[in-house]
């Protein structure tokens, strides 16, 4: 089984890459964000710690964590973002390691983990390769405005809290340029996986 970690800045088009790997290569995809979401469900360890730290104002009337409200709080305060990441991401990594064991037993050919903090959480220790999905900043901003309705200020604010391009490039094994057509992106991925002897379905 080959295990690939995929990362990149917000709006870089990682979801499209994951979908392609899943549909064309039968990859099992684990998204850290989805894992993190389930770890914050009502009554869990992380839920209790988050409410204790941030207070009940980040909850919905149904007592669930309001992710938009929590996001607005942490992205404007680096200290609070650090607390949240320090709580959630080690738990996400534990979940992923468990999944790795399960997929290894099933002899899954390709396992993908997508995480914003792939580098900070040292996923190079457990992945065969780390891929950086690069997209020009202007394109990312346009995508975020269209897909999520963000303002330019909001995009800039989020991007400032993420690794700069040079850090991703220095620490990842591969750079996939997703600034052009997705056909071009697919060609880059196909070339890499051919060398890794991973067949499409």
């Amino acid at each position: 089984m080959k295990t690939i970690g995929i990362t990149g800045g917000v709006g870089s088009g990682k979801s499209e890459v994951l979908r392609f790997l899943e549909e064309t290569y039968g990859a099992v995809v684990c998204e850290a964000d989805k894992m993190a979401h389930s770890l914050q469900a009502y009554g869990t360890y992380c839920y209790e710690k988050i409410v204790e730290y941030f207070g009940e104002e980040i909850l919905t009337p149904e007592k669930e964590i309001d992710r938009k409200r929590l996001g607005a709080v942490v992205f404007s305060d680096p200290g609070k973002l650090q607390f949240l990441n320090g709580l959630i991401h080690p738990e996400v990594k534990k979940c992923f390691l468990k999944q790795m064991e399960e997929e290894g037993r099933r002899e899954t050919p390709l396992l993908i983990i997508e995480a914003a903090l792939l580098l900070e959480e040292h996923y190079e220790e457990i992945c065969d390769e780390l891929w950086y999905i690069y997209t020009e900043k202007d394109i990312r901003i346009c995508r975020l405005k269209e897909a999520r309705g963000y303002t330019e200020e909001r995009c800039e604010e989020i991007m400032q809290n993420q690794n700069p391009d040079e850090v991703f490039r220095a620490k990842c094994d591969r750079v996939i340029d997703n600034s052009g057509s997705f056909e071009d992106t697919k060609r880059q991925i196909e070339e890499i996986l051919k060398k890794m002897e991973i067949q499409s379905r």
Side-chain angles (χ1 to χ4, degrees):
M1 182 175 77
K2 290 287 183 191
T3 305
I4 295 169
I6 288 184
T7 193
V10 65
S12 58
K14 296 185 294 295
S15 299
E16 206 172 359
V17 169
L18 297 177
R19 198 159 45 246
F20 171 67
L21 289 166
E22 210 168 21
E23 290 170 2
T24 308
Y25 290 89
V28 171
V29 173
C30 302
E31 293 178 65
D33 199 43
K34 287 181 181 173
M35 286 179 168
H37 195 186
S38 63
L39 287 166
Q40 294 171 55
Y42 179 82
T44 60
Y45 166 76
C46 290
Y47 174 93
E48 300 296 344
K49 292 287 176 190
I50 289 167
V51 176
E52 191 182 301
Y53 185 86
F54 291 97
E56 295 200 354
E57 55 269 26
I58 53 105
L59 298 179
T60 66
E62 295 75 36
K63 298 291 179 189
E64 296 291 344
I65 290 170
D66 185 324
R67 297 184 86 213
K68 276 190 178 174
R69 206 174 292 175
L70 181 60
V73 172
V74 298
F75 280 120
S76 59
D77 187 324
K80 287 177 179 173
L81 180 63
Q82 194 176 3
F83 167 82
L84 188 64
N85 286 338
L87 172 68
I88 297 290
H89 288 281
E91 296 298 317
V92 167
K93 198 172 189 181
K94 281 183 206 168
C95 287
F96 181 63
L97 286 166
K98 191 179 169 191
Q99 179 114 33
M100 268 183 86
E101 279 180 33
E102 289 169 9
E103 299 305 333
R105 282 197 295 271
R106 290 188 189 117
E107 298 184 353
T108 298
L110 186 58
L111 177 64
I112 308 289
I113 175 83
E114 182 276 314
L117 297 186
L118 214 64
L119 307 180
E120 292 85 343
E121 294 297 320
H122 300 288
Y123 276 84
E124 75 281 357
E125 294 167 0
I126 56 174
C127 292
D128 295 302
E129 289 194 356
L130 298 187
W131 292 6
Y132 167 42
I133 310 302
Y134 166 77
T135 305
E136 290 167 17
K137 189 179 175 183
D138 290 351
I139 297 170
R140 290 165 61 200
I141 289 172
C142 282
R143 284 179 186 165
L144 290 168
K145 282 177 172 176
E146 283 173 24
R148 303 190 198 177
Y150 288 173
T151 61
E152 192 141 348
E153 293 73 28
R154 174 82 170 125
C155 295
E156 291 283 357
E157 189 179 30
I158 295 170
M159 287 176 187
Q160 275 167 16
N161 280 306
Q162 297 186 325
N163 280 320
D165 179 57
E166 57 270 21
V167 171
F168 283 120
R169 285 179 183 274
K171 295 190 175 182
C172 290
D173 302 289
R174 313 264 187 187
V175 179
I176 312 284
D177 191 338
N178 194 31
S179 302
S181 71
F182 196 66
E183 285 305 311
D184 182 47
T185 302
K186 286 198 280 192
R187 274 193 295 273
Q188 294 172 62
I189 293 168
E190 284 161 355
E191 215 170 281
I192 293 165
L193 293 180
K194 194 176 176 183
K195 285 175 187 165
M196 292 173 80
E197 299 182 345
I198 293 176
Q199 308 291 321
S200 58
R201 292 206 287 201

